[in-house]
Amino acid sequence: MHVLIVIAHPESQSLTHSIAARVAKGIVLGDSASVVEVANLAQEAFNPCFTEADLQVHRHKASPPLDVQREQARIERADTLILVYPIYWWSMPALLKGWIDRVFSNGWAFDFDPEGSLTKKLGKLSVHLIGIGGADPLTYERHGYGTAMKTQMDQGIFGYCGAEVHISKLLLNSENSGAVHALEMAEQLGRIISSEASPSTADTESLNYREHAGPNLK
């Protein structure tokens, strides 16, 4: 398995980065032959701004710029994509959204025909989403964020491109004392991803319980 973990957090010592590292550890422990590649978007200074040049790519009037081609090549090398990101204002960070806006371009992630046909081009990709939030689970449930996340990302982004989302998890309560549980859960998620198997009932209960505790955005 070739895994690409994409991290969107500006601070390398953040709990978000620690979660990503634990996921990678779990993957390797579950399958020592796995290759894990990490894309640290902030450290690499990826430009998330969708410009007129990107619009020309969308309209099939230009080729993607080199920075976008490099990101697309990373994804093409992988069969598994994992996004690890903090939740800002009930959504993913602008850095990650801009990465998706620019990299998942028309002609590469999908082919859209103005006549109405759509070709989904990322069917080989297995996707796992790990969002990290500071609020408690009841707050997220009350506002329906779990459903909103699945609509926006699972269906609106990856479903549109034909990629299947296997894991879509929220690690919450990150502003309190949940970091240890979230780190343990991250390693467990890595093992599950490495096997590409559905978790058992016991695993699911454990994950559902521990997702109430989560990484800090510090």
Side-chain angles (χ1 to χ4, degrees):
M1 182 189 315
H2 189 122
V3 180
L4 175 63
I5 300 178
V6 179
I7 309 170
H9 195 292
E11 189 176 45
S12 61
Q13 300 302 313
S14 67
L15 207 45
T16 297
H17 281 264
S18 297
I19 290 293
R22 286 295 186 94
V23 171
K25 179 181 178 181
I27 290 170
V28 174
L29 288 174
D31 179 7
S32 60
S34 293
V35 175
V36 179
E37 187 175 354
V38 176
N40 184 340
L41 300 183
Q43 185 182 68
E44 296 169 7
F46 178 81
N47 181 3
C49 296
F50 189 91
T51 67
E52 184 177 353
D54 296 296
L55 193 57
Q56 294 305 306
V57 175
H58 177 75
R59 292 170 175 165
H60 295 296
K61 294 182 178 181
S63 298
L66 290 178
D67 61 339
V68 169
Q69 290 185 39
R70 285 193 295 267
E71 299 304 309
Q72 290 175 345
R74 275 175 157 171
I75 297 172
E76 288 170 354
R77 287 194 294 270
D79 47 53
T80 300
L81 175 66
I82 304 173
L83 305 186
V84 184
Y85 60 95
I87 297 168
Y88 293 161
W89 294 106
W90 300 92
S91 186
M92 70 188 86
L95 176 59
L96 182 58
K97 181 58 166 60
W99 181 80
I100 292 171
D101 288 345
R102 298 190 64 216
V103 175
F104 286 61
S105 58
N106 189 15
W108 181 80
F110 61 93
D111 268 319
F112 173 71
D113 184 339
E115 298 299 322
S117 64
L118 172 68
T119 302
K120 303 180 179 187
K121 304 186 74 173
L122 297 183
K124 82 175 186 73
L125 201 60
S126 171
V127 179
H128 307 273
L129 308 174
I130 302 175
I132 301 160
D136 63 89
L138 290 179
T139 298
Y140 277 79
E141 290 170 13
R142 183 165 63 249
H143 293 287
Y145 181 78
T147 300
M149 175 182 172
K150 289 180 181 297
T151 300
Q152 178 193 23
M153 299 187 70
D154 298 30
Q155 300 172 25
I157 297 172
F158 295 105
Y160 189 82
C161 301
E164 184 175 357
V165 176
H166 292 265
I167 291 176
S168 187
K169 282 292 177 184
L170 298 176
L171 306 181
L172 305 179
N173 254 351
S174 66
E175 299 298 333
N176 298 316
S177 58
V180 172
H181 292 297
L183 288 167
E184 292 173 354
M185 179 181 170
E187 189 169 322
Q188 185 180 359
L189 285 170
R191 289 176 180 271
I192 292 170
I193 292 168
S194 72
S195 67
E196 283 294 339
S198 299
S200 66
T201 302
D203 287 336
T204 303
E205 290 174 352
S206 176
L207 292 179
N208 288 339
Y209 171 78
R210 288 181 176 175
E211 73 178 354
H212 297 342
N216 204 316
L217 301 188
K218 294 188 291 184

